[in-house]
Amino acid sequence: MKYLTKFSLLLTIIFFLNCSPEKEQVLQINGKVIGTETESILLRKPNQDMRFDSLIEIPVENGKFYFETKLENPEAVTLFLGEAKENGGGRFMPLFLENERINLTIHSEEEFDKNIIEGGDLNAQYKKFKENVESKFNDRIKPLQDSIGALFKSDEYNSDKAKLLYAELRETKSQDEKLVIYKKLDHLEKLGQKLSPKAKELKDKIQPIAEEHKMFQQDYIENNPTIVSYSFLLRELIYNKESIDINSAKKSFQILSKANPNHPYNELASNLISAIENVKIGKKYTNFSAPDLNGNNIKLSDKIKGKVALLVLWATWCGPCIAKSRTMVPLYDEYKDKGFTIVGVAGEFYNTDRLIKFLDKEKWSWLNLVELDRKNGIWEKYGVGGGGGGIFLIDENGIILAKDPAAEEVRMELESRLN
């Protein structure tokens, strides 16, 4: 009888243990810094702007840091030392977050290659991928990259024409003049005259290796559709949109979105792909809605239908955007009653205080809408997520005539269409 009582008690204990709720899994980042007096660690998500977006900032105290949160989805971030925010950038490393414990050892920027990541299946996947890439490509590409670095140091990287333009750029303080110089540099690049003969020769040698690397990465994405692979696709869509193979990108997106249903990256990637495909000269503009300064939601199509329109995506913190917008003021004053309009969209963060003060001073009389904290994804939809903004000239039928046109180009179109 005593045996049966003990046995029953044991079964009861086992039952309650099995029924007790499991401890909730959370992300735990436990870390230390070596050789640096940094006061924080920054984690930047894809397509965030370090200057204004709300980054994850983890305080460092006595050389140690700790961060804990519950993630809805695994994420890819880029890790910086805290001072990168004030410096506008710095050395960085990829980091993958999931509801697991991750231990980090972070060194000074001079020794960032010594950083250690322990924990997380995704981090282990990335480490293995990186090792495979290094074993396959490093011996061939590193000597070429070192040679390019040597050309930079000896001032032999750019052509003589490009050097003269860069010298002008350093001397001028006028944003209007800088815009002209940047355009000349772009023209040199299109003509293949921006680099010195030595630099061009090295670039030509790197090109086939880079193509081979792209194929290697594409194969990895298709066979390993995890957040590690998704980070590769997003990086290409954001930073290499001018040279990306859009068909390969769409194939990767189909595989990754299917493997990661309901992940926020699906909407981000879809917007970026759509921008690359559709925001082109000769294609119809992408419609959107955004609030004006009174909070009224305005649809772009309602304001530009049947008119030649200039869509100006800008920001109060973007000097080149402001300089170019100022050149459009005389055009607007001259043609606003003849079938031409301008719609500005200010990409601001946190609030509109700075924007209101700016517009009170500038007196831009065209309609200005607000894209606050990237809520409507407008910058993504127009493929300018990595910059302050962009300008798009649209005809009366909604077809994009020009991207980032100068005021003279806009005037020529207006004269031929409206006079």
Side-chain angles (χ1 to χ4, degrees), residues 127-393:
K127 182 180 179 182
K128 187 175 180 181
F129 171 82
K130 187 179 177 185
E131 288 170 349
N132 288 338
V133 168
E134 288 173 352
S135 66
K136 189 173 179 65
F137 297 102
N138 264 25
D139 288 345
R140 288 183 288 161
I141 204 161
K142 192 173 185 308
L144 298 172
Q145 290 174 333
D146 290 344
S147 297
I148 285 178
L151 290 181
F152 267 113
K153 287 181 180 178
S154 61
D155 196 25
E156 296 178 89
Y157 181 75
N158 292 303
S159 66
D160 290 339
K161 289 181 181 178
K163 285 180 188 178
L164 289 172
L165 289 173
Y166 279 119
E168 286 181 40
L169 201 58
R170 287 190 294 271
E171 290 296 320
T172 184
K173 294 181 180 179
S174 164
Q175 288 290 349
D176 292 353
E177 291 176 12
K178 285 181 179 180
L179 289 172
V180 174
I181 297 169
Y182 282 129
K183 196 156 191 175
K184 289 179 180 179
L185 284 167
D186 288 341
H187 185 62
L188 272 186
E189 190 166 13
K190 287 176 183 176
L191 294 175
Q193 298 175 6
K194 189 177 178 182
L195 302 180
S196 69
K198 289 180 181 178
K200 192 172 184 309
E201 183 182 349
L202 289 168
K203 285 281 188 179
D204 289 343
K205 288 180 180 178
I206 286 175
Q207 185 62 30
I209 304 173
E211 291 299 324
E212 190 181 338
H213 178 270
K214 280 185 184 179
M215 292 174 63
F216 181 83
Q217 181 172 281
Q218 181 68 25
D219 184 65
Y220 182 86
I221 291 172
E222 292 176 15
N223 290 288
N224 303 274
T226 68
I227 296 303
V228 173
S229 293
Y230 225 144
S231 73
F232 298 157
L233 174 62
L234 291 175
R235 183 180 62 200
E236 293 295 315
L237 291 171
I238 294 168
Y239 299 109
N240 298 322
K241 55 181 175 281
E242 299 298 332
S243 59
I244 196 171
D245 182 334
I246 194 62
N247 291 322
S248 294
K250 288 168 71 175
K251 183 179 180 181
S252 296
F253 173 63
Q254 288 176 349
I255 294 168
L256 289 164
S257 57
K258 186 177 180 181
N260 300 278
N262 303 317
H263 199 291
Y265 289 172
N266 295 339
E267 183 180 359
L268 172 59
S270 178
N271 283 340
L272 294 170
I273 289 170
S274 177
I276 293 170
E277 276 199 301
N278 299 315
V279 183
K280 292 180 177 179
I281 293 171
K283 293 247 184 169
K284 193 171 179 69
Y285 74 95
T286 298
N287 201 14
F288 60 81
S289 295
D292 62 16
L293 285 168
N294 296 316
N296 303 308
N297 210 39
I298 307 295
K299 188 180 286 186
L300 177 64
S301 56
D302 291 342
K303 296 299 177 181
I304 69 172
K305 186 177 180 180
K307 297 180 179 181
V308 179
L310 201 65
L311 173 61
V312 181
L313 306 182
W314 68 288
T316 56
W317 45 267
C318 176
C321 304
I322 293 168
K324 201 157 191 178
S325 295
R326 285 171 177 158
T327 66
M328 304 300 173
V329 173
L331 291 174
Y332 182 72
D333 292 341
E334 184 176 347
Y335 285 93
K336 64 183 178 181
D337 297 323
K338 299 179 182 179
F340 173 60
T341 191
I342 295 179
V343 176
V345 185
E348 299 298 297
F349 294 89
Y350 312 125
N351 57 59
T352 58
D353 295 351
R354 183 172 174 175
L355 173 61
I356 292 169
K357 289 179 182 177
F358 180 89
L359 290 176
D360 282 345
K361 179 185 175 184
E362 289 290 326
K363 306 296 183 187
W364 292 346
S365 55
W366 56 73
L367 173 66
N368 268 290
L369 307 178
V370 185
E371 171 71 325
L372 194 62
D373 297 325
R374 305 179 187 272
K375 288 178 181 175
N376 300 292
I378 297 170
W379 263 239
E380 295 163 15
K381 291 172 183 175
Y382 274 83
V384 292
I391 296 180
F392 304 86
L393 182 62

Side-chain angles (χ1 to χ4, degrees), residues 29-61:
I29 298 178
N30 195 61
K32 61 181 179 180
V33 298
I34 297 174
T36 173
E37 299 296 321
T38 189
E39 295 180 357
S40 65
I41 298 295
L42 298 174
L43 303 182
R44 186 184 70 184
K45 298 180 181 183
N47 221 30
Q48 281 192 316
D49 190 297
M50 183 176 288
R51 296 163 293 181
F52 298 99
D53 278 325
S54 298
L55 309 186
I56 297 172
E57 186 163 8
I58 309 172
V60 175
E61 296 180 6

